[in-house]
Amino acid sequence: MSGSSSAVESGDIQSAPVPNGVIDAFYLLQNAEALHQSRLRERLNLGANELGALQFISRLAILGRDVRALDVAHSLGVTSGATSVILSHLVKLGYLTRTANPRDGRGKLLHLSPAATIAVSHTLDDSKSVLSLLVSGMSLREAKRVVVLLTAVTSALDDSARPAA
């Protein structure tokens, strides 16, 4: 116990042991998310990059941002040729539509089709209802602590994913 407090006091937080299982719980959460993605790919009959493209487009749409094929290629880390194949397949399946980019007459903007929106939202709604049941018994104080922790974890992951300047 004294090793833990002295590490925190000296500012060396990274080497301080975390005996309460929180880190293990985060790894289990990551595993559950990966398995959820696998089930979603199976349900929608998509490959990993196709699902990644749909999710990326969906997330940006929720934020009210336009999405171009170049954005998808950058997000997936694949070539423009591979992106073209992925997007064409999503259009063929009826999950994606393309419209003219009003800022650039040559470019196209990508949008989830109503079918994709429904398919993705059903999965999210199922997860949200289960999560709602899990947190419904929490006190306001407990909920605030969880929100603070998850916000800090999200910030840490976002910060570590940014490229070095």
Side-chain angles (χ1 to χ4, degrees), residues 17-56:
V18 182
N20 61 13
V22 173
I23 300 299
D24 291 337
F26 280 122
Y27 285 124
L28 289 172
L29 177 63
Q30 288 178 321
N31 288 342
E33 172 64 16
L35 292 172
H36 172 78
Q37 294 292 320
S38 179
R39 289 188 303 273
L40 185 55
R41 283 195 336 259
E42 188 175 314
R43 180 185 284 177
L44 298 176
N45 195 28
L46 297 175
N49 281 338
E50 293 165 334
L51 180 61
L54 274 186
Q55 290 175 321
F56 177 73

Side-chain angles (χ1 to χ4, degrees), residues 4 6-18:
S4 175
S6 64
V8 172
E9 289 169 9
S10 69
D12 189 13
I13 294 175
Q14 290 184 353
S15 65
V18 182

Side-chain angles (χ1 to χ4, degrees), residues 84-157:
S84 180
V85 170
I86 290 165
L87 298 177
S88 293
H89 189 237
L90 291 171
V91 168
K92 182 179 175 184
L93 290 172
Y95 289 142
L96 195 62
T97 61
R98 295 177 176 151
T99 60
N101 186 342
R103 289 185 222 146
D104 173 9
R106 298 174 299 143
K108 300 285 185 189
L109 297 179
L110 305 169
H111 311 277
L112 293 185
S113 69
T117 302
I118 289 169
V120 171
S121 69
H122 279 310
T123 301
L124 294 177
D125 289 344
D126 292 348
S127 297
K128 283 181 182 179
S129 62
V130 170
L131 292 174
S132 292
L133 284 174
L134 289 173
V135 300
S136 65
M138 294 177 80
S139 70
L140 185 57
R141 182 176 182 213
E142 290 171 322
K144 285 181 180 179
R145 289 181 75 185
V146 170
V147 169
V148 166
L149 176 62
L150 291 176
T151 301
V153 169
T154 300
S155 293
L157 291 173

